[in-house]
Amino acid sequence: MERKYSSKINKIRTFALSLIFIGFLIMYVGIFFRTNIWLMTIFMILGLLSIIASTVVYFWIGMLSTKAVQVICPSCGKPTKMLGRVDMCMYCRESLTLDPELEGKEFDENYNKKKMNLSEKG
């Protein structure tokens, strides 16, 4: 089974977007408890906290994105941002690396872990 990879920035943005929808869903569930004001209030506050968490994640990834290394994808020629030693192109999902030791090796997200022994993946 082949695993579907995407760039780290897009994964985090997708997570933040899902927090917004989860927040709205939690608030919507709260509407069903209109007769119990405390239960409805708890659901509304939990939904609001989820949306606030999404805002924090969007702000964090925005700040992280400004510090990311921008490279030109050799496959599609578009500029894309890289986080870590290996990442994927945001457009064509080409594997990218700035580490000369990893050039030509099969893409593996584990290369971004700090204590990875390269001889294990060779």
Side-chain angles (χ1 to χ4, degrees):
M1 182 172 139
E2 188 175 322
R3 189 169 166 200
K4 184 178 172 185
Y5 294 104
S6 70
S7 72
K8 288 178 210 59
I9 292 175
N10 284 345
K11 283 182 186 177
I12 297 170
R13 286 178 180 159
T14 301
F15 172 71
L17 182 63
S18 66
L19 279 177
I20 290 174
F21 288 118
I22 290 169
F24 282 130
L25 186 66
I26 292 171
M27 291 174 147
Y28 186 72
V29 169
I31 291 174
F32 290 112
F33 297 104
R34 282 179 281 190
T35 55
N36 187 341
I37 191 74
W38 291 107
L39 201 53
M40 184 182 84
T41 304
I42 288 171
F43 276 102
M44 293 296 170
I45 290 173
L46 287 175
L48 181 65
L49 289 176
S50 177
I51 293 171
I52 290 171
S54 170
T55 305
V56 170
V57 171
Y58 269 121
F59 179 78
W60 172 69
I61 194 59
M63 291 293 105
L64 196 60
S65 181
T66 61
K67 296 176 184 176
V69 177
Q70 189 168 5
V71 297
I72 303 295
C73 176
S75 183
C76 67
K78 294 181 181 178
T80 187
K81 293 185 178 183
M82 271 188 65
L83 292 176
R85 294 175 68 195
V86 294
D87 204 351
M88 299 296 264
C89 174
M90 292 177 155
Y91 306 100
C92 68
R93 293 197 174 138
E94 173 78 23
S95 61
L96 303 170
T97 183
L98 294 176
D99 191 343
E101 294 178 15
L102 298 177
E103 283 185 23
K105 294 189 178 187
E106 189 173 336
F107 181 81
D108 189 352
E109 290 179 329
N110 292 326
Y111 287 135
N112 288 323
K113 295 195 172 135
K114 293 189 186 221
K115 295 188 179 184
M116 174 77 181
N117 187 357
L118 290 178
S119 62
E120 293 174 7
K121 285 288 182 185

